[in-house]
Amino acid sequence: MTLRELINFVDSEQYSDNALYQELRETKPEYGSSRHIQVKLIDGEIAITNAHVGSLGDILTYPIDVEPDLKISKVQLLDTILHELSSNGFSESEESDFWSDFDNLQKAKIVR
């Protein structure tokens, strides 16, 4: 299952006040990479990796690999990924500015 499929699976009403969820729902998938979002249990905490690599459209297409022993519902999975993508602490305006600039190729070249 990709992040896009997971987003389409959950009840969108439940996330109506989540700006990042809304942004992801409206983003067109780009199919620009073959990375995977990794979900593992590390020291009793769910850890998400590869959720920040690539454009927002790329991230939507990444398959989600959940550790086989980790029992997590799809809603819990999406909540955890959204929490990771929001970097736990952005204000709404900071989050909006971040995602607005995410596809800025000039900045991407500087960072990479």
Side-chain angles (χ1 to χ4, degrees):
M1 170 182 303
T2 66
L3 180 54
R4 170 57 110 201
E5 291 167 340
L6 181 60
I7 287 169
N8 289 333
F9 174 82
V10 299
D11 179 16
S12 61
E13 295 272 329
Q14 184 176 350
Y15 294 93
S16 62
D17 62 343
N18 187 309
L20 177 55
Y21 174 85
Q22 297 302 324
E23 180 76 20
L24 288 168
R25 260 189 89 77
E26 296 171 10
T27 299
K28 179 182 175 190
E30 294 178 4
Y31 303 101
S33 181
S34 61
R35 300 188 192 288
H36 290 236
I37 296 173
Q38 303 287 326
V39 183
K40 299 177 183 179
L41 193 63
I42 299 176
D43 296 329
E45 298 286 325
I46 297 174
I48 308 290
T49 57
N50 290 336
H52 297 284
V53 181
S55 72
L56 196 54
D58 288 341
I59 293 168
L60 283 171
T61 66
Y62 294 172
I64 302 169
D65 297 336
V66 179
E67 189 173 67
D69 296 336
L70 182 61
K71 303 298 181 219
I72 187 170
S73 73
K74 290 182 180 179
V75 171
Q76 290 171 317
L77 180 60
L78 180 59
D79 287 346
T80 305
I81 292 171
L82 290 175
H83 187 270
E84 176 65 27
L85 285 171
S86 69
S87 294
N88 187 21
F90 278 166
S91 69
E92 283 191 35
S93 63
E94 289 171 328
E95 186 177 308
S96 176
D97 291 344
F98 174 81
W99 289 113
S100 293
D101 260 358
F102 199 74
D103 290 329
N104 182 331
L105 295 178
Q106 187 64 33
K107 286 189 177 184
K109 286 182 181 180
I110 293 169
V111 171
R112 292 181 187 155

